[in-house]
Amino acid sequence: MTTKLFGEPVRRREDARLVTGRGRYLDDIGAQALAAAFVRSPYAHARITDVDVEPALDVEGLVAIYTYEDLTGPMAEPLPVLIPHPQLHAPRTGYPLANGEVNHVGEPVVMVVATDRYLAEDAAERIVVTYEELPVVVGVDAARAAEHAVHAEIPDNVAARHHQETGDVEEALAGAARTLSFTQYVERSACMPLEGKGVHARWDPADSSLRVYSSTQASTSVRAAIAAKLELSLERVEVIAPDVGGGFGVKIVHPWPEELLVPMAAIALGHEVKWTEDRREHFIGSAHERQQRQEITVGFDDDGRIAALDVHAWHDNGAYTPYGIIVPIVTATQLVGPYVIPVYRVVVESVYTNTVIVTPYRGAGRPQGCFAMERTMDRIADALGLDRAEVRRRNLIRPDQFPYDHHLTFQDGRPVVYDSGDYPGLLSRLTSLVGWEAMEDRRAEAASRGKLLGAGMAMYVEGTGPGPYEGGHVQVLGSGKVLVSTGLTSQGQGHETVFAQIVASELGVPMEDVEVTTGDTRRFPYAVGTFASRAAVMSGNAIALAARGVREKALRIAAEVLEASPDDLEIADGVVGVRGTPGASIPLRTIAVLSNPLRYAFDEAAKQATQFARPGADDQPPVAVGDAPGLEHRDYFSPIRSTFASGAHAAVVEIDPATWEIDVVTYAVVHDCGNVVNPMIVEGQVHGGVAQGVAGALYERMAYDADGQLQNASFMDFLMPFASEVPDIDIDHQSTPSPLNPLGIKGAGEAGVIPGSAAIASAIEDATGRRISAMPISPTELYDVMRSPSAERTAAAGRRTEVGG
Amino acid sequence: MKPAPFRYADPGSLGEALDVLAAEGDGAKVLAGGQSLIPLLSMRLAAPTTLVDLNRVPGLDAVEVTGDGVRVGALVRHAELLGNPAARTVQPLLARATAYVAHPAIRNRGTTVGSIAHADPSGEMTAVLALTGGSVTVATPAGRSTIGWRELFVGPLETSVHGAAVVVDAFFPALPARSGTAFVEVSRRRGDYAVCGAGVVVTLDADGLVETVRAAYLSVGPVPEVHDLTEAVSGQPAASADWAAAADLARTLVDPDGDLHASADYRRLLVGVLTERALASAAAEAAA
């Protein structure tokens, strides 16, 4: 921690490899593999009455066809509910291949294996599946109305009713000086990593072992799932996440049907098999997130201080609930943000629809919670004629209130207790960064150019780095190389760089000597996965602890050799020396050789070490009791609960009142993730998050029609923003270290996306004077709002008109 | 997303290409830049029996600029036309519109004539062909013929060219004297197909008064549309003409559909806004 690498903007060491095309992604593996393709349901809700594979049988190159009838044992059972919860009273999951019924377009029905993907698709196209269509449920409102049921035995379509409350909300609302009630919507989007999912499996009959590569965020858990479902012994299965081209949440779900079916086929066929998801499959066969209807009632006093908040939300969970109710819980518990909410009640009903499943997408329910809370703040400000920043300021948790207990239960089952933070600090930095006080001047200047300018802001608190644990292993080799491994996976975040920085700092070695491996069960079998902004917090700390263990052992051995006290030793540039005594030193690599009493002189390192080696005492074993050969250490980090990062965003938009095009002209971010390992990587994470926040606010939506057909399942019509649509981003950092982990860090991966829709909706509302209660919003929709006689005008707009005469 | 099986031919001459097309019948499809066709194949939305690749056919890669206009060969890439200074001078709409065609990677590969033959009513070059009163040359085994734009565009993604025929070039007449042009679009993302686009030509008389006003629109109908807006502003001084009146007229002449990205009403709104802006700009250029 005292060396300078920790906290430095070290350039990402993985980039040279990745940007010059030397990455090794799933589809780069297994050029000789057989290819799998899937027949997927074209209907959103239907009974399967017949599957006729006959017409496909004469396709040259066809190897095998699998339907549900071919699944045996655990494979014929429903896929697991990964995270059960007592309030998830009606969980449902699909089968690896549809068992008589399909519940969304894209659900896999038949797997075809052929000598290449072209032929596999040719065969798949010829397979005739006969369906009997059933009524379709699309959208939270249709699910709630329950005229039809997604699952016949769940007539109200409600999978879970998640409920938390911190007091008597009815009484508190009745006693409040003022109340406001309103309804708002957030629409679906999706993670959309540029690399879709993919699985490659190879069975080795000689030692009955299976190696699987998967483009996953959780290789250890995929391994366990495959072992269980295919009835293999765990030690016969290894799973490796190769380079992964983005995840953003969708690849934390496991096992995907394909992660089981591809290995199953590889074993059955005795040949390696690969499936690479294509873009259309990803749109209709992976996962989405975000759609909610929110009914909110807030009670507050004449100064804008909240007395009580009552939220009833309906959350569209799609056709199945393999990932439990994590997203509804996160919305419910993170909604309160940086504010004191004296009495809070939240009910989130998680409802089934005949659409792609909903599982965490970067932010994982927080953008919706932030949208609810922050738009509530805007409404209070509007009702009272107060500045929106001032209303927020009056409700913020003060720095002297930490640890702050919201009396809620988080997604990890632990209490929502904020560990540290300075929310007034965030707000004051934000208002100065964006020039909040000077906004009227900017508004006037824009008006002189014929543009409507408006500003909005949103704050958030984000629980990051949930447990239960992650581990790290650090080993110094005789060559001087330092091998580092952790079980969680990487999807391009820069883990190689950050973990190497941590080890180099802790151990006192050059960063170039540190080699990092992630997501490979051969190297580290125990892990949870990369999600919930947890990699730096969890694996970063575990690796730091492992490095400290190595350091302690190295100093112990060096102390014996140098005949010094370990307290007088230091490590710099990979050499252990006695402080203040030049020349009294020994390289770490030599200590690594000495640490193993078996020293065949295979190499120079072993020969050099002999000068330090002393004969062991005749009355002691060569490896002391409690010691172990080798200079390595394995350690785990398991926090008491999540650590809470925070931030505040402001957006300034300019709107063309002729075309209703919306241009984000300023985007300001104040960000607090505690101690920062690498500020360049944190800023990159913020940039990427903001891009997805802007996407969710202005561009992306999943356009399902009433039949459950996704109308925009391509990058032509699903409007992921280009670089040209992402605004320049001004960032300011604040740091309130976490007391909950040795490095004092908090997660940073998801933060950037959370306040986007809230801040941009607020800015559009400020610019137009019309209430914006559904996001995303496009120019054509804004035009509809502006010309609708029933569109609600904000009180602020009325006051501005009065002032302006 | 892998294409269904197809045969592939890469003839070395136009005659050979026409022979293959004649032999293969209606199942054959001509390939030039492939920027629209290949995605359709990959999504199995199109499954031609044979692709006839023109890229080895000599003589189709020229941009010929004369005082009469610009003739663009079937293998000329958008980027090449965009960067051709002579073409830009003779018919400024070409470069102005081409700059809106997708992104550089697509402009480097996609062809102007291919865009026209694809007949997408959201395409820029179909609108420019219509607005300039252009035509295409079609080669068949029986010889060459010229087809004017009105005869060419039959419906969305549909032309009157069928069977053993190759569109070998497109001809864009020169900009008339005392004329100015403008090309504007509103798209959801930069480089996307336009939600609505407008190209205009304003021609003034010798006294600097408005003589003719024509506008073409993208993404408002099944085929490119050209509307004469002259009557709204005829005889008015270029600097003070009532372009809003012309925009109002344009709104009454179009009948757009709604889709995922824009309602019909919003498109109609944009037709007016873009018309007014484009006409003011084009008139200023004509007067300069």
Side-chain angles (χ1 to χ4, degrees), chain B residues 14 28-29 38 52 57 83 146 163 178 211 222 231 259 274 281-282 286:
Chain B
L14 186 60
K29 197 86 181 143
I38 298 298
V52 182
V57 174
T146 300
R178 299 184 309 279
E211 187 173 273
E231 65 177 86
D259 62 19
L274 296 181
S281 166

Side-chain angles (χ1 to χ4, degrees), chain A residues 593 596-611:
Chain A
V593 177
N596 182 355
L598 182 63
R599 279 192 297 278
Y600 294 127
F602 292 134
D603 55 20
E604 280 305 307
K607 289 176 199 160
Q608 283 173 16
T610 55
Q611 65 180 300

Side-chain angles (χ1 to χ4, degrees), chain A residues 467-717:
Chain A
Y469 66 84
E470 271 323 315
H473 181 253
V474 175
Q475 180 176 19
V476 182
L477 299 183
S479 63
K481 285 284 175 215
V482 182
L483 303 184
V484 179
S485 66
T486 185
L488 62 61
T489 58
S490 300
Q491 298 87 47
Q493 296 91 337
H495 293 165
E496 266 181 74
T497 305
V498 169
F499 295 156
Q501 276 179 269
I502 290 172
V503 170
S505 294
E506 292 288 345
L507 208 49
V509 297
M511 199 171 143
E512 305 79 65
D513 288 346
V514 183
E515 292 179 4
V516 177
T517 301
T518 61
D520 185 336
T521 65
R522 297 171 299 183
R523 291 288 302 280
F524 208 98
Y526 287 96
V528 181
T530 300
F531 60 96
S533 304
R534 67 192 295 283
V537 177
M538 298 302 302
S539 280
N541 278 291
I543 286 169
L545 293 175
R548 288 174 192 183
V550 168
R551 178 187 173 88
E552 188 186 323
K553 181 167 186 179
L555 294 186
R556 173 163 57 79
I557 295 171
E560 290 169 14
V561 173
L562 299 174
E563 297 178 331
S565 161
D567 296 340
D568 294 333
L569 300 179
E570 60 184 3
I571 311 179
D573 289 329
V575 177
V576 183
V578 181
R579 210 173 278 116
T581 310
S585 65
I586 178 170
L588 209 51
R589 64 172 189 273
T590 307
I591 298 174
V593 177
L594 289 174
S595 69
N596 182 355
L598 182 63
R599 279 192 297 278
Y600 294 127
F602 292 134
D603 55 20
E604 280 305 307
K607 289 176 199 160
Q608 283 173 16
T610 55
Q611 65 180 300
F612 294 101
R614 292 178 298 175
D618 288 345
D619 57 350
Q620 295 294 328
V623 177
V625 175
D627 203 354
L631 184 51
E632 63 179 324
H633 191 73
R634 181 182 304 271
D635 213 333
Y636 291 86
F637 175 63
S638 182
I640 191 78
R641 57 180 168 267
S642 296
T643 174
F644 288 81
S646 56
H649 291 199
V652 182
V653 302
E654 275 188 20
I655 295 170
D656 182 331
T659 64
W660 302 106
E661 289 171 285
I662 303 158
D663 189 11
V664 180
V665 293
T666 305
Y667 201 97
V669 175
V670 182
H671 184 256
D672 185 346
C673 60
N675 289 334
V676 172
V677 186
N678 184 326
M680 190 189 292
I681 282 179
V682 168
E683 292 204 0
Q685 287 286 350
V686 170
H687 287 170
V690 168
Q692 286 181 309
V694 170
L698 298 176
Y699 295 99
E700 296 176 354
R701 71 172 66 228
M702 288 295 167
Y704 275 103
D705 68 11
D707 294 327
Q709 298 289 340
L710 187 57
Q711 301 293 292
N712 59 342
S714 80
F715 278 156
M716 192 166 93
D717 283 320

Side-chain angles (χ1 to χ4, degrees), chain A residues 187-264:
Chain A
E187 184 50 272
R188 275 189 179 213
S189 184
C191 302
M192 283 299 143
L194 287 188
E195 184 203 28
K197 299 179 314 210
V199 187
H200 172 273
R202 187 174 69 200
W203 175 250
D204 184 343
D207 69 357
S208 300
S209 68
L210 180 71
R211 178 183 297 177
V212 177
Y213 293 91
S214 181
S215 184
T216 178
Q217 293 173 229
S219 53
T220 49
S221 299
V222 171
R223 178 192 188 208
I226 290 171
K229 282 290 193 178
L230 299 183
E231 300 180 283
L232 298 167
S233 178
L234 189 65
E235 94 283 359
R236 293 290 164 184
V237 181
E238 49 197 41
V239 177
I240 300 144
D243 282 324
V244 173
F248 310 108
V250 64
K251 296 175 184 176
I252 190 63
V253 180
H254 60 269
W256 284 102
E258 300 89 351
E259 284 176 323
L260 303 173
L261 293 165
V262 170
M264 180 192 82

Side-chain angles (χ1 to χ4, degrees), chain A residues 301-451:
Chain A
D301 68 16
D302 292 333
D303 294 327
R305 287 190 174 81
I306 289 178
L309 181 66
D310 190 17
V311 177
H312 194 169
W314 284 264
H315 168 85
D316 170 7
N317 61 226
Y320 302 111
T321 52
Y323 213 73
I325 53 170
I326 290 296
V327 177
I329 296 173
V330 171
T331 295
T333 52
Q334 300 267 263
L335 188 147
V336 290
Y339 306 111
V340 174
I341 309 293
V343 182
Y344 174 53
R345 177 171 71 184
V346 60
V347 176
V348 186
E349 301 200 40
S350 192
V351 295
Y352 287 109
T353 59
N354 290 114
T355 58
V356 170
I357 61 169
V358 166
T359 64
Y361 157 34
R362 194 180 204 169
R366 293 176 187 85
Q368 301 95 312
C370 181
F371 189 64
M373 187 73 249
E374 293 298 311
R375 303 298 288 138
T376 299
M377 288 293 167
D378 290 341
R379 297 247 185 183
I380 292 171
D382 192 51
L384 296 175
L386 291 171
D387 179 66
R388 287 166 290 165
E390 181 57 28
V391 168
R392 286 172 168 82
R393 191 172 290 120
R394 290 175 185 177
N395 284 286
L396 289 174
I397 296 164
R398 297 187 317 273
D400 63 4
Q401 288 178 285
F402 291 96
Y404 185 85
D405 189 347
H406 269 296
H407 303 289
L408 297 168
T409 302
F410 198 40
Q411 55 155 323
D412 55 3
R414 301 284 169 125
V416 178
V417 177
Y418 293 174
D419 49 336
S420 64
D422 177 2
Y423 307 145
L426 290 175
L427 184 56
S428 71
R429 281 171 189 261
L430 182 74
T431 50
S432 63
L433 182 65
V434 76
W436 188 257
E437 305 303 330
M439 210 52 73
E440 290 309 313
D441 295 340
R442 287 187 67 180
R443 194 193 307 279
E445 187 279 327
S448 74
R449 291 183 282 110
K451 294 288 175 66

Side-chain angles (χ1 to χ4, degrees), chain A residues 122 125 278 659 698 720, chain B residues 1 44 188-190 266:
Chain A
D122 291 347
E125 198 174 33
D278 66 34
T659 64
L698 298 176
M720 180 187 286
Chain B
M1 300 227 298
R44 299 198 178 210
R188 290 290 281 117
R189 299 172 298 185
R190 190 168 302 180
Y266 179 62

